[in-house]
């Protein structure tokens, strides 16, 4: 089987790494890939948003299955175009991907399907939104409706912060058209969980639940990032809670999309707040999480190519997922200054030293330059280790991460600290 993976971050490296282990995979390409991916797959310089270019590549190279990592190509209709051309693709259509690309669409779906979530109101007009804020208690959460690269959510502690956020989004268009509509919702407290599931539009196969560390600073402080580390399976997620989330969240979402005429094939990602043991949805994504994928896929024993192909062919009911009796911890190494501005192009040393048994060094923002591997993004690497206990996995991940150096290198020291025994 020839597979094309679309994307070039840590998530895609983990996908390529897992797919490369499949005896059924004969050829692997990744567009555009990165330095680490280039050791396992052929990187092709096509941007993830160049849908026509990706389609031509898939046709000219007899690609049997295209696997989409990031949300942007899904929101641009990659899966629609590929399906029209009879090209097999793992990823939802543009309409189904609205569960991520429009937070108001997701809210409406949740209401219709009685999926537990924060109470919310949706506004297009700044005066209506400001009038609503007069009646709200704080903190409150303001969300840009559209895709804003993880920056479109403001947890406002005061009325003033909330008003500023609304004006920034609706009037100043800080996020362009993505902020032409806002969702104002109840602030939820508790512990966050990520639950991702493979789905073909009817069968829902959940993966081990993960926890992500979203803030840049130790102890969950400072601004939000794409994710500074993750671990799985999250001890907070008991088998009963996972069943409950499939029954009350994932399955009704998939059913609601099918009923609306836009069946969802791909990964449905639910960001969940668990309050007093009960789950409520913070957000849906239409793709694998990053860095959650780097913590979850190393634990999957089933051949990933089989699972993705079965989903693309709508026969996921024939698949059972098997998991290693292990836990995994992923520590992200980022560029100094991230998530604000940072410099790129610094040589990375120690990569061969970090490669050990039960460790995978997933590249995110890296590139090859003059024979060296250099930094090329905010999140540079994700070092995942797996073991029988969180204590062992975490120690191994930090030990391997400690062998890698580059100028400005930063990592949070407290990834998975809360689950140590
Ligand atoms: P989202 O992109 O919607 O997941 O929001 C990003 C982050 O903002 C989440 O991971 C939470 O940490 C936080 N957040 C979003 N919605 C809420 C909410 N209703 N209550 C509390 N925190 C929230
Ligand atoms: N780690 C959060 C996300 O993938 O959206």
């Amino acid at each position: 089987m020839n597979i094309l993976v679309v994307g070039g971050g840590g998530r895609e490296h983990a996908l390529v790494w897992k797919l490369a282990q499949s005896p059924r995979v004969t050829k692997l390409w990744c567009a555009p890939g990165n330095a680490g991916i280039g050791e396992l797959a052929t990187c092709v310089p096509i941007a993830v948003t160049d849908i026509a270019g990706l389609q031509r590549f898939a046709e000219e190279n007899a690609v049997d299955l295209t696997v989409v990592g990031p949300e942007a190509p899904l929101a641009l209709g990659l899966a629609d175009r590929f399906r029209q051309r009879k090209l097999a693709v793992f990823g939802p259509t543009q309409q189904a991907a609205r569960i991520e690309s429009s937070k108001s669409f997701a809210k409406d779906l949740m209401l219709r399907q009685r999926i537990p979530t924060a109470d919310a109101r949706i506004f297009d007009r700044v005066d209506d939104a400001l009038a609503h804020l007069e009646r709200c208690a704080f903190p409150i959460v303001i969300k840009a409706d559209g895709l804003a690269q993880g920056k479109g959510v403001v947890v406002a502690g005061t009325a003033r912060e909330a008003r500023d956020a609304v004006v920034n989004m609706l009037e100043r268009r800080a996020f362009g058209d993505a902020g032409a509509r806002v969702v104002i919702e109840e602030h939820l407290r508790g512990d966050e969980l990520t639950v991702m599931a493979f789905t073909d539009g009817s069968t829902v196969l959940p993966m081990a639940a993960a926890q992500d560390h979203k803030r840049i600073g130790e102890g969950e402080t400072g601004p939000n990032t794409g994710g500074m580390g993750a671990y799985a399976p999250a001890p907070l997620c008991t088998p009963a809670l996972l069943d409950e989330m499939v029954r009350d969240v994932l399955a009704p979402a998939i059913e609601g999309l099918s009923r609306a005429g836009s069946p969802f094939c791909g990964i449905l990602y639910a960001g969940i707040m668990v309050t007093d043991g009960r789950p409520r949805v913070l957000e849906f994504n239409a793709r694998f999480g990053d860095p959650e994928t780097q913590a979850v896929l190393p634990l999957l024993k089933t051949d990933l190519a089989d699972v993705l192909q079965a989903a693309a062919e709508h026969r996921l009911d024939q698949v059972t997922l098997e998991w290693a009796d292990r836990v995994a911890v992923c520590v992200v190494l980022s560029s100094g200054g991230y998530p604000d501005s940072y410099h790129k192009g610094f040589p990375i040393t120690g990569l061969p030293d970090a490669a050990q048994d039960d460790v995978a060094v997933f590249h995110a923002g890296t590139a090859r330059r003059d024979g060296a591997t250099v930094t090329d993004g905010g999140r540079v690497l994700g070092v995942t280790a797996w073991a029988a206990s969180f204590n062992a996995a975490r120690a191994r991940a930090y030990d391997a991460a400690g062998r890698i150096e580059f100028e400005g290198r930063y990592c949070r020291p407290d990834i998975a600290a809360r689950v140590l025994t």
Side-chain angles (χ1 to χ4, degrees):
M1 182 162 41
N2 297 334
I3 298 188
L4 168 65
V5 174
V6 176
R11 163 184 53 207
E12 288 77 21
H13 192 181
L15 285 165
V16 163
W17 174 83
K18 192 74 198 168
L19 288 168
Q21 294 167 15
S22 167
R24 296 189 46 227
V25 175
T26 37
K27 182 76 198 157
L28 258 177
W29 292 277
C30 188
N34 61 32
I37 291 173
E39 290 172 15
L40 299 170
T42 306
C43 293
V44 287
I46 307 175
V48 301
T49 49
D50 180 3
I51 309 300
L54 293 167
Q55 174 217 319
R56 266 196 310 278
F57 182 87
E59 284 174 342
E60 284 165 8
N61 293 278
V63 169
D64 297 305
L65 178 66
T66 297
V67 181
V68 186
E71 63 276 17
L74 298 170
L76 288 170
L78 182 149
D80 308 67
R81 184 170 181 137
F82 273 54
R83 288 201 183 96
Q84 275 159 17
R85 297 282 189 144
K86 303 268 178 283
L87 291 165
V89 56
F90 182 78
T93 60
Q94 187 173 43
Q95 186 59 28
R98 290 189 76 204
I99 198 165
E100 171 168 6
S101 65
S102 168
K103 291 190 190 288
S104 58
F105 175 91
K107 260 306 165 199
D108 286 340
L109 176 76
M110 286 188 261
L111 265 180
R112 261 201 330 275
Q113 295 296 104
R114 299 175 194 278
I115 295 170
T117 183
D119 285 337
R121 296 273 308 269
I122 295 161
F123 297 95
D124 299 307
R125 289 166 43 107
V126 70
D127 43 352
D128 293 342
L130 293 176
H132 174 68
L133 287 179
E134 298 287 327
R135 299 186 293 272
C136 290
F138 301 91
I140 198 149
V141 184
I142 323 278
K143 300 184 174 184
D145 185 54
L147 295 177
Q149 296 182 317
K151 299 197 172 106
V153 175
V154 175
V155 178
T158 63
R160 191 199 174 103
E161 277 171 50
R163 283 197 299 268
D164 285 351
V166 160
V167 169
N168 242 335
M169 289 178 195
L170 284 177
E171 205 166 86
R172 298 209 193 102
R173 292 296 162 94
F175 302 108
D177 286 345
R181 168 174 289 177
V182 298
V183 176
I184 300 185
E185 73 178 30
E186 174 196 2
H187 180 251
L188 303 178
R189 277 168 228 276
D191 294 300
E192 283 186 50
L193 269 183
T194 296
V195 186
M196 302 183 282
F198 298 97
T199 178
D200 58 4
S202 33
T203 301
V204 174
L205 289 184
M207 291 176 237
Q211 277 190 298
D212 179 13
H213 292 264
K214 289 211 165 78
R215 305 292 198 96
I216 188 75
E218 184 173 3
E220 299 302 330
T221 54
N224 259 327
T225 69
M228 295 303 295
Y231 55 91
L236 172 68
C237 188
T238 60
L241 182 58
L242 187 61
D243 287 348
E244 184 179 339
M245 291 190 290
V246 171
R247 188 192 64 213
D248 295 347
V249 174
L250 298 170
I254 292 303
E255 193 226 26
L257 288 168
S258 284
R259 204 179 315 150
S262 26
F264 185 108
C265 168
I267 297 293
L268 183 60
Y269 166 127
I272 302 278
M273 187 72 89
V274 182
T275 313
D276 299 328
R278 305 315 303 267
R280 278 193 285 176
V281 176
L282 294 170
E283 63 164 342
F284 282 116
N285 291 325
R287 51 167 177 83
F288 284 98
D290 188 342
E292 291 95 324
T293 302
Q294 293 90 303
V296 171
L297 283 187
L299 304 176
L300 181 66
K301 289 210 283 189
T302 317
D303 186 325
L304 181 62
D306 284 343
V307 182
L308 301 182
Q309 190 180 36
E313 293 172 358
H314 302 285
R315 45 177 189 78
L316 211 47
D317 56 340
Q318 298 168 6
V319 172
T320 8
L321 300 180
E322 279 192 71
W323 297 96
D325 191 14
R326 289 279 180 278
V327 302
V329 173
C330 172
V331 176
V332 169
L333 304 182
S334 61
S335 295
Y338 174 80
D340 298 325
S341 63
Y342 51 83
H343 294 289
K344 303 192 222 179
F346 297 121
I348 304 171
T349 59
L351 288 169
D353 239 13
Q356 299 158 36
D357 286 346
D358 301 335
V359 171
V361 179
F362 295 121
H363 290 227
T366 69
R368 293 288 292 172
R369 195 164 305 154
D370 304 327
T373 302
V374 300
T375 65
D376 196 39
R379 290 188 293 174
V380 177
L381 299 159
V383 181
T384 300
W386 49 96
S389 71
F390 279 110
N391 296 45
R394 182 173 186 271
R396 193 171 288 163
Y398 274 107
D399 175 71
R403 296 162 191 252
I404 300 170
E405 275 305 329
F406 54 86
E407 192 172 324
R409 168 194 182 283
Y410 170 79
C411 70
R412 267 182 65 167
D414 60 340
I415 303 302
R418 56 188 298 195
V419 290
L420 298 184
T421 47

